[in-house]
Amino acid sequence: MATNAERSASRRREILAAASAMFATKGFHKSSLQEVAAAAGITPAGLLHHFGSKDQLLTELLAHRDASEIAEVNDPERPHGTAFLEHLADTADRNSDRRGLTQLYVVLSADGVTDEHPAQDYFRSRYDGLRSMIADEIRLAQAAGDVAGDRDPQELATLIIAVMDGLQIQWLYNPEAVDMGGLVRKLIGVLT
């Protein structure tokens, strides 16, 4: 028999799944708590019991989405330098196997630029952290002689992220025409 804590955790996962699907298809602002609650099979009051507000639901959804990637990034065994840059192509391949999460990320990151969006700080911080991490790995690749030393690591990091995000948008419109992982591999090949 499941404990109250186990039932609550299970219900929260169901709500997060419903919110993920709803926000990915309709966007954050056009999705109502009532719709998310109905998709999760609970009342709006039940949803608010687990997540105090729509903003809190979004914040926890984004944190949930990134949990496995954060663990991977913090893994001391993760690749570094040029191997990390190649790992970015593997990430793009994985994203093509999880359309719903990729669509959620694209929709919310674009939606997040609007005034007072609750995910704005999250995405600003995420992009700052990604640029910094990728730039650090580029510096390691430069030190190993795998990337030209006269290239600015911050600029290269910004370009890599821009290409990866742009490929996600194009892939969502036409998955058969866009090989995200393959194109990221080509980009890394141009850089190295």
Side-chain angles (χ1 to χ4, degrees):
M1 169 91 81
T3 66
N4 284 342
E6 291 168 335
R7 283 192 298 277
S8 179
S10 176
R11 178 57 74 179
R12 288 173 63 85
R13 285 189 300 273
E14 292 168 3
I15 295 167
L16 288 171
S20 177
M22 188 71 59
F23 294 168
T25 56
K26 294 183 72 174
F28 175 76
H29 288 299
K30 291 185 180 178
S31 300
S32 71
L33 281 178
Q34 291 79 7
E35 291 171 314
V36 174
I42 62 171
T43 65
L47 187 149
L48 290 172
H49 169 76
H50 291 283
F51 301 95
S53 68
K54 187 177 176 187
D55 289 358
Q56 183 185 355
L57 174 61
L58 175 62
T59 301
E60 292 203 31
L61 178 62
L62 292 169
H64 177 74
R65 179 208 177 269
D66 279 352
S68 63
E69 289 179 17
I70 289 169
E72 184 178 298
V73 165
N74 291 330
D75 183 351
E77 300 298 317
R78 77 168 169 84
H80 292 284
T82 305
F84 178 81
L85 298 177
E86 293 166 0
H87 169 74
L88 293 174
D90 296 335
T91 300
D93 283 333
R94 277 195 312 278
N95 286 344
S96 67
D97 290 333
R98 44 189 190 184
R99 181 179 176 86
L101 283 176
T102 300
Q103 184 173 351
L104 175 68
Y105 174 82
V106 166
V107 169
L108 291 179
S109 64
D111 207 22
V113 301
T114 58
D115 291 341
E116 299 180 30
H117 193 283
Q120 198 171 82
D121 289 339
Y122 167 84
F123 280 106
R124 184 178 296 112
S125 175
R126 187 173 199 282
Y127 278 120
D128 289 346
L130 278 172
R131 275 192 307 275
S132 178
M133 179 179 55
I134 294 171
D136 287 346
E137 297 301 336
I138 289 170
R139 286 184 192 93
L140 289 174
Q142 287 174 321
D146 295 331
V147 172
D150 63 343
R151 296 183 181 173
D152 182 288
Q154 275 307 121
E155 288 180 358
L156 291 177
T158 301
L159 289 169
I160 289 169
I161 294 167
V163 167
M164 291 182 74
D165 282 0
L167 287 172
Q168 288 182 141
I169 294 168
Q170 293 181 58
W171 176 80
L172 286 165
Y173 280 112
N174 191 349
E176 290 78 33
V178 179
D179 174 9
M180 290 193 293
L183 291 168
V184 171
R185 283 181 187 84
K186 286 186 180 186
L187 173 65
I188 299 306
V190 167
L191 297 176
T192 58

